[in-house]
Amino acid sequence: MPGVRLAFQAPFFHEFVLQLPKSPERVVKALAKQKILAGIPLKAYDRQLKDSLLVAVTENRTREEIDAFAHHLASIVS
Amino acid sequence: MRYDKLIFELSAPGRVGYSLPASDVPEKKSSELLPGKYLREAPPELPEVSEFDVVRHYTRLSQLNYGVDTHFYPLGSCTMKYNPKLNEDMARLAGFARLHPLTPESLASGALKLMGELSESLAEITGMHTVSLQPAAGAQGELTGVLMIRAYHLAKEKRPRTKVLIPDSAHGTNPASTAIAGYQIVQLKSDASGEVDILDLERHLDEDVAALMITVPNTLGLFESKILEITEMCHTKGALVYMDGANLNAILGIARPGDLGFDVVHLNLHKTFTTPHGGGGPGAGPVGVKAALVPFLPVPHVVKDDGGDYRLDWDRPQSIGKLQAFWGNFGMLARASAYIRTMGPDGLRAVSDNAVLNANYLMKRLEPYYDLPYPGPCMHECVFSARRQKQHGVSAMDIAKRLLDLGFYAPSTYFPLVVEEALMIEPTETESKETIDSFCDAMIQIAKEAETDPASILNAPVTTPVKRLDQTLAARQPNLRWTRP
């Protein structure tokens, strides 16, 4: 996805951190309109991570839902 | 035969109690996703059981327990009242139960409103300016309150003061919380009527005293009749007054801590406000304060903005800080809120009227058979002494054990410390006269047995899953390991 990348290159377990080209707070707000809670903006925990979003899809989400998340995220950050 | 299996002993290789849906994303082996050093070489030794095994196992274990849903549970100072099942339904509403604590505030306005309104209700019930819902238990509420008192003195006098006065009838958590907050504890004597000895208070009250910490009604079940004088004496010396609200069930709608002159009060939602209490929690110990202490409340604090919406306020520079993860034990807040709304103001007043009436009825029925060191009338609980029975070799502990055989949970024993062989009985408002009478009949039977057949008491309990345990050994050398045979 253009402008979006993994913040850390090490292997991850059940969740991962995305760096976004737009404010994560605004992205979360925009995705909420699609009824998706996108993740946790990390700025409150570490200012150096102000462009970062912690995402955990869990085992409860279907491929369709994950694809919808990716689709909406792409259109918001493009 | 008594059921005593561990879930591991039910395990059979290959048995499963779950099924996962087929994965709809491309699968990869975990060894392709994670470095080998993070992967187990052998699977964990988890029990392999069916769903039916699990249901039957835990149902049978639950039947080994005494609980408020199965038995009368007159554990003094613990307010083991009925926990309405409506509360459970409300706390399980998906918008509450499945809400992530880090959901953006704009998408959690219902939960924030519940918290804000509960805080306002508790402030009204206690007569305090503001209530924080953060503390997760009564003792954490105490620590929160004392830390705020410390911050108050530091801000006002540039020194925290050094001492906190605590009556000798206090809950043990009071000196513990106070010591953790860095204060020296000075113990106050009780007078002959079981209340704070005013002369002893006067002797110790000086300008190094940060606060007096006192339980109202006290742990003898007695209302401190000189409480207005006491709070005024403290304020004259610049000391604050903390009320341990563990016994609030006695005074709902009758007296408000704020009106009695208290500066800080903690409440136990798991006592007075019917959140579940039996399994060790989780508790909730909100703390109410007068206006002068508001700047020191923990963060985040739920506030109402100009538009009437509730939000979490983190911008509180004089706050004592954060006490625990997230925003309090929210599930307990939802249950307490449901209870308060169900009861309404008149209902809450009736709670205390009936709690006090039940305790006095019980006290009067047992008074001929057990010594009452501090005569009533009592508030929501009464404290007997088994010293008469002790002359026959039967202690308060023996009486407690015998009650188990007769189908009742035991009262609190050996507390408060100011009563020899103490039996502290709190029937609560939710018990019927028939149940209280049955309990009194059992207590009277035991008093008679103590005189005629003490051996029958000393062998008790004989009907419970386990008999008398070496509690000290169990606490100091707990055996919590199971090894495969």
Side-chain angles (χ1 to χ4, degrees):
Chain A
M1 200 176 287
V4 177
R5 64 185 199 91
L6 270 176
F8 306 105
Q9 299 312 310
F12 56 85
F13 284 95
H14 63 301
E15 58 190 6
F16 52 88
V17 178
L18 292 179
Q19 278 184 340
L20 305 179
K22 287 191 177 170
S23 144
E25 286 77 10
R26 294 179 68 167
V27 169
V28 166
K29 216 169 183 175
L31 277 165
K33 289 183 184 151
Q34 306 299 329
K35 299 203 178 300
I36 295 171
L37 278 172
I40 310 290
L42 294 177
K43 188 174 88 178
Y45 303 92
D46 183 345
R47 290 199 66 80
Q48 290 186 350
L49 297 174
K50 62 180 190 304
D51 58 356
S52 298
L53 182 71
L54 179 63
V55 178
V57 290
T58 82
E59 74 284 11
N60 286 324
R61 303 279 70 86
T62 62
R63 177 172 190 159
E64 201 177 311
E65 289 169 321
I66 296 168
D67 286 343
F69 170 56
H71 168 77
H72 290 300
L73 179 63
S75 62
I76 289 163
V77 299
S78 64
Chain B
M1 202 182 112
R2 182 166 66 86
Y3 184 72
D4 65 351
K5 296 281 188 210
L6 298 172
I7 189 89
F8 291 92
E9 293 173 288
L10 305 180
S11 186
R15 189 169 291 166
V16 291
Y18 66 92
S19 58
L20 293 177
S23 173
D24 57 2
V25 296
E27 292 196 32
K28 276 192 178 182
K29 287 185 177 166
S30 48
S31 58
E32 292 175 46
L33 294 166
L34 293 168
K37 63 180 177 180
Y38 296 128
L39 298 174
R40 286 179 174 276
E41 288 169 6
E45 286 196 53
L46 297 175
E48 297 176 79
V49 289
S50 69
E51 179 177 325
F52 194 11
D53 291 334
V54 171
V55 168
R56 187 169 281 165
H57 174 69
Y58 287 106
T59 302
R60 294 191 76 172
L61 288 188
S62 76
Q63 290 168 340
L64 300 180
N65 286 347
Y66 263 80
V68 75
D69 282 354
T70 60
H71 295 84
F72 180 50
Y73 208 120
L75 198 64
S77 249
C78 293
T79 313
M80 302 299 287
K81 58 163 88 172
Y82 175 61
N83 303 152
K85 302 310 168 224
L86 178 68
N87 297 356
E88 300 302 314
D89 291 346
M90 296 303 104
R92 281 170 174 74
L93 290 173
F96 293 145
R98 299 185 65 82
L99 185 68
H100 193 285
L102 295 177
T103 301
E105 286 180 32
S106 58
L107 302 175
S109 52
L112 287 166
K113 186 173 182 188
L114 181 142
M115 292 170 74
E117 290 183 349
L118 174 62
S119 174
E120 288 158 13
S121 295
L122 294 175
E124 185 179 336
I125 288 166
T126 55
M128 304 305 276
H129 184 281
T130 307
V131 171
S132 166
L133 303 173
Q134 272 258 313
Q140 196 181 34
E142 292 173 24
L143 178 63
T144 305
V146 179
L147 289 174
M148 283 191 278
I149 289 169
R150 190 180 179 82
Y152 166 86
H153 288 301
L154 267 172
K156 192 169 174 230
E157 300 178 356
K158 310 284 177 234
R159 63 179 189 125
R161 301 193 170 200
T162 57
K163 298 184 284 191
V164 171
L165 310 182
I166 301 179
D168 55 9
S169 61
H171 294 115
T173 48
N174 290 182
S177 313
T178 306
I180 291 172
Y183 282 110
Q184 179 195 340
I185 292 106
V186 178
Q187 186 171 290
L188 296 183
K189 288 184 201 153
S190 300
D191 65 16
S193 63
E195 298 182 21
V196 167
D197 184 329
I198 290 278
L199 292 177
D200 203 37
L201 171 63
E202 200 166 23
R203 249 192 311 279
H204 289 105
L205 195 55
D206 58 33
E207 287 177 1
D208 285 329
V209 171
L212 165 70
M213 195 172 197
I214 184 172
T215 308
V216 177
N218 69 24
T219 61
L220 292 161
L222 304 173
F223 192 81
E224 292 281 348
S225 59
K226 296 182 278 295
I227 192 63
L228 291 173
E229 188 183 338
I230 290 171
T231 54
E232 197 179 330
M233 281 168 70
C234 293
H235 290 152
T236 304
K237 295 284 183 186
L240 299 180
V241 199
Y242 182 107
M243 179 169 135
D244 177 334
N247 293 342
L248 194 79
N249 210 50
I251 57 171
L252 290 171
I254 298 171
R256 304 194 311 165
D259 300 336
L260 299 176
F262 285 99
D263 303 289
V264 189
V265 59
H266 87 262
L267 312 174
N268 300 72
L269 298 188
H270 46 280
K271 295 184 181 181
T272 316
F273 297 96
T274 67
T275 73
H277 195 178
V287 175
V289 295
K290 287 279 175 64
L293 287 144
V294 168
F296 313 108
L297 286 167
V299 285
H301 186 60
V302 180
V303 294
K304 197 191 236 178
D305 65 23
D306 295 339
D309 293 326
Y310 292 90
R311 63 182 176 82
L312 296 173
D313 180 15
W314 292 85
D315 186 16
R316 306 180 77 85
Q318 289 183 282
S319 164
I320 60 164
K322 191 151 170 25
L323 293 162
Q324 58 150 333
F326 303 127
W327 333 128
N329 279 334
F330 179 77
M332 298 307 117
L333 307 181
R335 285 169 176 83
S337 185
Y339 177 67
I340 291 171
R341 285 168 171 270
T342 306
M343 301 302 289
D346 294 342
L348 291 176
R349 165 70 194 237
V351 163
S352 291
D353 285 347
N354 285 300
V356 172
L357 181 64
N358 282 355
N360 278 281
Y361 175 74
L362 186 149
M363 185 190 75
K364 280 288 168 200
R365 273 212 63 193
L366 295 185
E367 203 174 350
Y369 305 93
Y370 292 89
D371 284 358
L372 191 65
Y374 298 98
C378 64
M379 296 294 288
H380 66 305
E381 63 190 359
C382 55
V383 182
F384 287 101
S385 167
R387 62 194 172 199
R388 200 188 310 176
Q389 288 70 31
K390 194 72 193 287
Q391 290 167 8
H392 302 288
V394 173
S395 67
M397 178 64 74
D398 297 324
I399 294 167
K401 298 296 182 192
R402 180 70 176 127
L403 274 170
L404 300 178
D405 277 344
L406 297 177
F408 299 97
Y409 197 79
S412 296
T413 52
Y414 300 98
F415 183 80
L417 303 177
V418 290
V419 173
E420 177 193 355
E421 295 292 328
L423 288 161
M424 182 196 218
I425 307 174
E426 181 181 5
T428 82
E429 76 284 3
T430 56
E431 297 296 340
S432 65
K433 179 173 179 293
E434 290 83 355
T435 302
I436 295 171
D437 277 336
S438 301
F439 172 78
C440 290
D441 292 343
M443 286 290 287
I444 293 166
Q445 177 186 327
I446 296 170
K448 290 176 179 167
E449 286 171 349
E451 293 175 13
T452 58
D453 181 20
S456 66
I457 304 176
L458 301 177
N459 290 331
V462 295
T463 59
T464 50
V466 290
K467 309 297 181 263
R468 293 209 190 193
L469 303 177
D470 185 337
Q471 295 173 358
T472 309
L473 186 69
R476 299 211 172 138
Q477 293 174 37
N479 178 4
L480 304 174
R481 298 188 75 89
W482 176 76
T483 41
R484 195 174 291 282

